[in-house]
Amino acid sequence: MAEEGKSTVRAVERALDILQCFTAGTDFGMTEIADRVGLHKSTVHRMLSTLEDRGFVERDPATERYRLGFRVWELSAHLTSSDDPAVIWLPEMERLRNVLGETVSLYVRDGGERIRIQAVQSNQAVRRVATVGARLPLYVGASSKVLIAFADEATQAEIWGELESIQPAVVNKHMFECQMNEIRHHGYATSMEEREPGAAAVSAPIFDRHGRLAAALSVSGPSSRLTLELMREIAPTVIEAAARMGTMAR
């Protein structure tokens, strides 16, 4: 019975791994999916057949490529409720974009990664395009620093352990802790071409009504325009927007 339970859980994990492939693109062939999840093509074929039967993926008969099905969109429709922070905070994010003219993003932490759960694109011709649903490493970037620096001590210890296992050569604990203290002191974090050449960002924490870290609010753009001097100048505006958004958080 125990082995049967483990087998069922593993099947669910594999199915979820397959669905997560689509965060990196709109459609994939079966071989591409098998390579991405590290499973044999016969196993992936069985999983895709079940997901297709249930409407979670669709197969294009002409190309034999798979894309997300209507069931996923049906589920996601329920996220656009009054309790969804990505919806509640959108007007404030749009206001911030209009004031600063740069792309505004919202991030939450998931293990050793951060996920962009909402974005408002800059209207400028040269801009940084932010894709909703993108997963990014937690060891680099302004929003990553905020999600770590303002987390509670237990969460910070958990994150540090994950960072050491994921990127032991990238993070120095002493320098890391000094940087986190500085971020907490100033109330915001910046990054200049840390993850992506030519890109810069400034980020501030959003706290809920109970004082718990809820998300990181980020303003990003080309480093040629969003200089360190300018980011220091606009940081109070980002902090104020994050504070207003926090009053809406439950």
Side-chain angles (χ1 to χ4, degrees):
M1 184 68 70
E3 289 301 319
E4 182 180 343
K6 288 181 181 179
S7 177
T8 301
V9 171
R10 184 60 185 141
V12 173
E13 290 175 343
R14 288 173 171 175
L16 292 174
D17 286 343
I18 288 172
L19 290 176
Q20 285 183 322
C21 284
F22 294 93
T23 61
T26 56
D27 65 311
F28 295 97
M30 187 178 66
T31 301
E32 291 175 277
I33 294 173
D35 290 341
R36 283 179 172 273
V37 298
L39 295 173
H40 195 277
K41 284 196 291 186
S42 61
T43 301
V44 172
H45 180 264
R46 291 196 301 272
M47 292 287 177
L48 285 171
S49 295
T50 301
L51 290 170
E52 185 179 5
D53 288 342
R54 296 300 183 94
F56 286 95
V57 299
E58 295 178 353
R59 180 176 57 86
D60 187 328
T63 63
E64 294 295 321
R65 294 177 71 81
Y66 291 85
R67 59 178 177 266
L68 292 177
F70 70 93
R71 285 292 181 191
V72 173
W73 306 120
E74 184 179 353
L75 288 174
S76 65
H78 293 287
L79 290 175
T80 58
S81 67
S82 59
D83 292 327
D84 180 14
V87 176
I88 295 171
W89 292 334
L90 183 57
E92 185 63 39
M93 294 175 68
E94 291 174 336
R95 189 198 69 81
L96 186 62
R97 187 273 314 276
N98 293 340
V99 170
L100 299 180
E102 301 292 355
T103 296
V104 179
S105 299
L106 190 65
Y107 294 93
V108 295
R109 182 183 73 90
D110 183 23
E113 297 177 308
R114 56 184 163 109
I115 305 173
R116 187 183 293 119
I117 63 170
Q118 185 61 281
V120 179
Q121 311 298 339
S122 168
N123 290 326
Q124 302 200 50
V126 178
R127 59 183 177 178
R128 183 169 182 272
V129 177
T131 306
V132 175
R135 285 180 171 268
L136 303 170
L138 199 61
Y139 58 83
V140 66
S143 295
S144 292
K145 298 172 190 175
V146 163
L147 291 172
I148 297 172
F150 294 95
D152 58 71
E153 290 185 6
T155 301
Q156 285 185 9
E158 177 188 341
I159 293 171
W160 175 252
E162 291 172 347
L163 293 182
E164 280 190 312
S165 64
I166 296 171
Q167 288 288 337
V170 174
V171 288
N172 176 286
K173 191 169 186 179
H174 176 69
M175 292 179 61
F176 182 80
E177 289 177 343
C178 289
Q179 188 178 44
M180 295 302 104
N181 288 333
E182 185 177 355
I183 290 168
R184 283 189 288 269
H185 174 73
H186 292 293
Y188 70 92
T190 62
S191 63
M192 178 63 71
E193 300 187 335
E194 291 183 7
R195 187 184 63 83
E196 182 181 336
V202 55
S203 180
I206 300 174
F207 298 102
D208 65 19
R209 295 175 184 177
H210 304 286
R212 297 171 302 202
L213 180 64
L217 177 66
S218 173
V219 174
S220 62
S223 55
S224 58
R225 192 167 63 224
L226 204 58
T227 63
L228 279 172
E229 291 75 18
L230 180 58
M231 287 193 286
R232 294 189 187 105
E233 182 181 324
I234 67 174
T237 302
V238 181
I239 293 171
E240 289 172 8
R244 284 192 295 271
M245 292 164 73
T247 63
M248 309 173 195
R250 298 194 174 187

